[in-house]
Amino acid sequence: MTEQLESGLVSAAALTGMKVWMDRPTKNGPDAVKKMGKVRACVFHPQKKRCVGFLVKRPDVAWMFHRADLFVAVNGYDVVDGSLVIRDDPAATDRGACKALGVDLDACVLWMGLAVMCQDGTSFGTVGDVLFHPQTGTVETLVVSKGATANTLLGRLNVPAEDIRGFKRGMGTQLYMADDDDERALGCIVVSDCVKQMEVSGGAAEKAGEATAVAADKAKRVVRKVRPQAQAAVDAAKPVAQKAAQAAGEAVDKGAFVAGRQIGRATGMFGNFADNFKKAMESDDSEPKA
């Protein structure tokens, strides 16, 4: 999966895990680079709908001493042969990048894995991907996930930028361990109420519906004969599909909660949230039990 889509947008999900190098030009090797690690997670502005960069997980020293993540500005790298190469520029990383971008890294947010909700508390799932412009970081689309099983069956919900309200504390996913009355320990991405009427796309159900529509004219006579049996089959299948979707949603909520607890054991806002969320999604223990 490539980091940049055909539309010219960048996928936060595709960016995560990519190898990162840094320009280290020398007199004898002007094109020399140094391996830095892999992308841990994309970082978003605390108030604006904008990706400001990403965190690079660097290998531990001698496999024992932990090294702090490296922050890279959204416009501080180039894509070379499928890898990310950080530019040889003070404004591309860490403090220099934060100063150039005008952001406080400690106040920034990791969107991936956060709950997606309306202001009234209606939940749609979690952030499965974010598509943004490569140079400005401006968010274009928010992809809502309900878990691997539900995504396969029902598809995903794509929320356009105009319907994204932004990050909000006090509701949603637990970000770190805290007392029950600490509302700041919760966070979510708030979307407008019109998302309630949006339809999901890309699932097996949608494809099946399209195939049925194409064959409908040719099958009218057959349908009339078998309609009672077909309707009975559909009615019998509905509870199973509903249970599958519910189980998938509950599994994602559980995985997000566990990830939120884990981040409280780390220093700062970021910790291991993205790592644990990814593991929870990949394990996909949400299949309905007979």
Side-chain angles (χ1 to χ4, degrees):
M1 191 172 187
T2 57
E3 163 268 347
Q4 190 161 322
L5 307 177
E6 292 182 0
S7 61
L9 300 177
V10 175
S11 162
L15 199 67
T16 304
M18 289 189 67
K19 294 181 180 179
V20 181
W21 305 74
M22 177 174 280
D23 275 332
R24 278 289 187 267
T26 64
K27 184 176 181 180
N28 297 326
D31 297 325
V33 294
K34 177 184 178 181
K35 186 176 181 180
M36 300 302 295
K38 294 183 179 181
V39 176
R40 178 195 289 274
C42 288
V43 181
F44 293 83
H45 195 282
Q47 285 90 34
K48 301 177 182 178
K49 295 177 286 187
R50 178 164 64 95
C51 176
V52 296
F54 55 84
L55 297 175
V56 178
K57 176 178 174 54
R58 298 192 286 181
D60 295 338
V61 179
W63 303 101
M64 294 177 62
F65 302 102
H66 178 69
R67 301 175 69 185
D69 290 346
L70 177 71
F71 174 67
V72 181
V74 67
N75 57 355
Y77 70 95
D78 297 299
V79 182
V80 181
D81 296 332
S83 295
L84 309 181
V85 180
I86 305 172
R87 296 171 184 166
D88 184 20
D89 184 346
T93 60
D94 286 341
R95 292 184 180 180
C98 292
K99 183 177 180 180
L101 294 168
V103 297
D104 176 7
L105 190 59
D106 290 336
C108 290
V109 185
L110 305 183
W111 280 23
M112 296 291 287
L114 287 179
V116 179
M117 310 174 72
C118 280
Q119 194 70 42
D120 63 4
T122 301
S123 178
F124 300 99
T126 59
V127 179
D129 199 359
V130 184
L131 307 183
F132 56 89
H133 292 281
Q135 293 301 318
T136 64
T138 303
V139 173
E140 185 71 20
T141 304
L142 177 71
V143 181
V144 183
S145 171
K146 286 184 175 293
T149 301
N151 291 342
T152 301
L153 293 174
L154 307 176
R156 296 193 178 203
L157 183 65
N158 297 321
V159 181
E162 57 266 26
D163 294 320
I164 304 172
R165 297 294 176 260
F167 175 72
K168 176 182 175 65
R169 287 186 181 273
M171 55 192 290
T173 305
Q174 185 171 355
L175 304 175
Y176 53 86
M177 291 297 291
D179 296 332
D180 294 339
D181 58 350
D182 184 4
E183 293 186 350
R184 290 186 60 80
L186 301 177
C188 71
I189 301 300
V190 177
V191 295
S192 64
D193 288 341
C194 69
V195 175
K196 295 178 182 179
Q197 281 72 49
M198 288 185 181
E199 296 182 356
V200 297
S201 61
E206 181 187 42
K207 295 178 181 178
E210 292 173 353
T212 301
V214 172
D217 290 337
K218 298 180 181 179
K220 282 184 179 179
R221 293 182 181 180
V222 178
V223 170
R224 289 195 186 100
K225 294 181 180 180
V226 300
R227 182 173 294 164
Q229 296 92 328
Q231 186 59 50
V234 171
D235 292 341
K238 282 182 179 179
V240 178
Q242 291 173 350
K243 288 181 180 180
Q246 181 180 0
E250 291 175 352
V252 172
D253 291 341
K254 180 180 179 181
F257 177 76
V258 172
R261 289 169 55 189
Q262 290 296 330
I263 195 174
R265 302 191 182 110
T267 302
M269 179 69 180
F270 303 113
N272 296 319
F273 180 78
D275 287 345
N276 284 278
F277 173 73
K278 183 177 180 182
K279 291 178 182 177
M281 292 294 288
E282 290 178 345
S283 66
D284 186 27
D285 56 357
S286 58
E287 294 183 2
K289 295 179 174 58

